[in-house]
Amino acid sequence: MELDSGGMKVYALPAGLAAMPPPLGDHLTGLSESEFFMLDQSALLLLVKAFKDQQLSESEFYQQLTETITAALECSRASLWLYSDALLNEIVALDLYDSTSDRHFQGIALHEDDFSPYFEAMRNDGGIDAPYAMEHSATSCFTEAYFEPNDIYSLLDVGIRYSGQLVGVFCCENVGEVMLWTEQQKAYLDQAGKLITFALKPALQQKFAALF
């Protein structure tokens, strides 16, 4: 079912899920953590299907994706980044959602020359779990330029892979206090990364053809 929300298409959950309360707040105290993430994974699957069926534009998909994952993980910010080319030394934000201001940002670029420990960690490990991001060896390079000005304490990143090759990053951040990422949150984000790869497969194949 298609709903209208300020000019942006929003897709309702199936009947069995549509009656569930929103994914934040005290209303979910009756659900186990695994049931909570199953509910939000269903919303993510519907979003990917709508995009694959060409019912959402790229920008609509990116914005609803970052909002959906921010709500599911109950973090402050979420963003989707792709490497700018096959050199893999720069990532560019397709969308960054900040729930504290309810604003979206695009086009931010991060260069390996400025943040080499982060780029190296993503290449080697495929993800970063940094609840104390200002102190983590892979992310402390962001402290002065990014974490402190934005009051970011915690970061959880998962790599976006196509045919085994790292081609992008999905990043979750928490503002104002430390977020100790749970195993369920990490599993959810890992699955989200796979769904994003599926959704963007044609674009990834074209953009990174030189890698394959």
Side-chain angles (χ1 to χ4, degrees), residues 31-165:
L31 294 179
S32 69
E33 194 166 14
S34 61
E35 288 171 330
F36 170 84
F37 282 106
M38 284 179 64
L39 172 63
D40 281 293
Q41 197 70 263
S42 298
L44 191 58
L45 284 165
L46 284 175
L47 183 59
V48 170
K49 183 180 186 303
F51 178 64
K52 294 292 284 185
D53 291 343
Q54 299 183 330
Q55 296 171 322
L56 292 173
S57 68
E58 286 189 1
S59 61
E60 288 174 326
F61 174 64
Y62 298 150
Q63 290 188 14
Q64 291 196 37
L65 178 71
T66 53
E67 289 187 23
T68 297
I69 295 177
T70 298
L73 268 63
E74 297 190 296
C75 60
S76 307
R77 298 156 61 101
S79 52
L80 174 62
W81 306 70
L82 288 184
Y83 285 91
S84 57
D85 54 41
L87 295 176
L88 304 182
N89 59 8
E90 178 189 70
I91 55 174
V92 178
L94 299 182
D95 188 75
L96 185 157
Y97 175 60
D98 182 353
S99 67
T100 63
S101 62
D102 194 27
R103 295 178 64 193
H104 291 266
F105 304 88
Q106 299 83 30
I108 304 164
L110 302 177
H111 303 269
E112 184 168 15
D113 288 347
D114 300 319
F115 307 107
S116 58
Y118 174 83
F119 279 77
E120 183 177 357
M122 287 302 304
R123 276 196 299 267
N124 293 340
D125 303 326
I128 297 172
D129 176 8
Y132 298 93
M134 296 185 195
E135 303 169 15
H136 193 284
S137 60
T139 57
S140 60
C141 54
F142 292 110
T143 297
E144 185 176 346
Y146 182 61
F147 291 154
E148 290 181 343
N150 293 288
D151 198 29
I152 294 168
Y153 282 69
S154 302
L155 175 146
L156 180 66
D157 281 11
V158 65
I160 306 300
R161 292 186 175 274
Y162 178 69
S163 294
Q165 173 65 54

